[in-house]
Amino acid sequence: MSTTRTPHTPRIPPLPPAEWPPVLRSLLADSRQDGPGRENLFGTLAHHPVLAHAWLSLARVLTHEGTLGHRGRELIVLRVAHRLDASYVHRRHRTPAEDAGLTAAEIDATAADLATHPWQPEDRALLEAADLLAANSSIPEGLWDRLAGVLSPEQLVELLVLAGQTATMCTTLNTLNTPSDSASRQPSLTVLLDRDRCCSAGQCVGAAPEVFEQDESDGRVTLLVPEPDTRYADEVRFAADLCPSGAITLVDHEETAHP
């Protein structure tokens, strides 16, 4: 018996955070500074925890230990995402690109003909390389010489790996029809947790296990989902009311705080 899907139905639905292995939740928590928009990506990778750990470990190295530079890295990611028609990835990287110093016009221009924007020579060389690598084409000697004139051997190797890792991510998400986080859920509130105030009562975990988890090492509560799905709103509000130490604060869309 066949199953009817719309073109946008995920072929493999992302797992909710409560079903992720601890190491995956730890990776997400450790990279909060990278911004929102990764829960469906992580939820998709959670179907293969060992691969997820390897993939995300590489991504973290490229992001936090890379030598290519924040601006150059985001140019490559945005351009490869555009060339592979990966709107999830391109939208996800708008905020990191802004943090890297790219203007809104430059970010938009990464999804247009390169001739429509007055790119600086180094930026233009990176974008041309991204075009070729996204199409699995070789880089001609002239372009390679331009890149080698401004990048070290270490950076050149990193450029190739970054483009390949981005292409793999784009192809995977496109093939699986993985939705962006904003498309799959509309959070009714934001959860703030002050772990220093947590008294380890654990009542919130019992009320909303999809959102809270008790750390086995210190007994304090860990926040799994800062912006939970609307279906968990009542449970989360109940959990906040139960918290004896007032460590949980909820902020709804009307910016009203519920201590």
Side-chain angles (χ1 to χ4, degrees):
M1 180 177 179
S2 63
T3 300
T4 301
R5 293 187 178 93
T6 68
H8 302 294
T9 301
R11 287 173 164 169
I12 299 179
L15 293 175
E19 298 180 28
W20 298 355
V23 66
L24 196 55
R25 290 198 293 268
S26 177
L27 279 172
L28 180 62
D30 289 346
S31 59
R32 286 290 180 195
Q33 66 267 33
D34 295 337
R38 292 159 299 140
E39 288 180 9
N40 280 342
L41 167 62
F42 277 49
T44 298
L45 295 177
H47 288 280
H48 194 325
V50 175
L51 179 60
H53 185 268
W55 185 344
L56 295 169
S57 295
L58 172 59
R60 189 163 59 177
V61 169
L62 292 170
T63 301
H64 299 291
E65 300 176 38
T67 62
L68 194 58
H70 197 175
R71 179 184 177 87
R73 180 176 65 248
E74 293 305 322
L75 284 172
I76 293 294
V77 172
L78 288 169
R79 189 63 179 179
V80 171
H82 163 65
R83 298 297 293 182
L84 295 180
D85 196 25
S87 57
Y88 181 120
V89 177
H90 200 279
R91 285 196 302 267
R92 159 75 185 90
H93 275 264
R94 288 193 70 94
T95 297
E98 291 173 354
D99 293 341
L102 273 73
T103 66
E106 288 175 326
I107 294 172
D108 291 340
T110 63
D113 189 304
L114 294 183
T116 63
H117 184 82
W119 295 105
Q120 293 297 314
E122 182 175 345
D123 290 345
R124 177 66 184 252
L126 290 174
L127 293 167
E128 289 181 19
D131 280 353
L132 293 168
L133 294 170
N136 196 29
S137 298
S138 61
I139 296 178
E141 288 301 324
L143 176 56
W144 183 260
D145 289 342
R146 287 159 56 199
L147 291 167
V150 293
L151 301 177
S152 67
E154 181 181 23
Q155 290 172 319
L156 290 168
V157 172
E158 185 177 318
L159 162 61
L160 301 177
V161 174
L162 173 64
Q165 193 265 355
T166 303
T168 301
M169 177 170 59
C170 292
T171 301
T172 299
L173 297 178
N174 280 354
T175 301
L176 295 180
N177 295 331
T178 302
S180 64
D181 292 359
S182 60
S184 62
R185 61 176 175 81
Q186 294 182 340
S188 62
L189 50 82
T190 297
V191 183
L192 305 176
L193 174 66
D194 186 345
R195 293 194 83 238
D196 291 335
R197 294 181 61 180
C198 177
C199 64
S200 306
Q203 292 170 304
C204 60
V205 178
E210 301 85 0
V211 179
F212 302 100
E213 179 180 61
Q214 197 152 18
D215 193 317
E216 295 181 359
S217 62
D218 62 9
R220 294 182 180 179
V221 171
T222 298
L223 181 62
L224 298 177
V225 189
E227 294 183 338
D229 191 287
T230 53
R231 58 184 165 163
Y232 301 129
D234 290 342
E235 288 87 344
V236 172
R237 294 186 189 281
F238 182 49
D241 290 339
L242 289 175
C243 181
S245 61
I248 301 171
T249 298
L250 306 182
V251 182
D252 60 27
H253 283 304
E254 286 73 36
E255 302 296 327
T256 302
H258 302 271

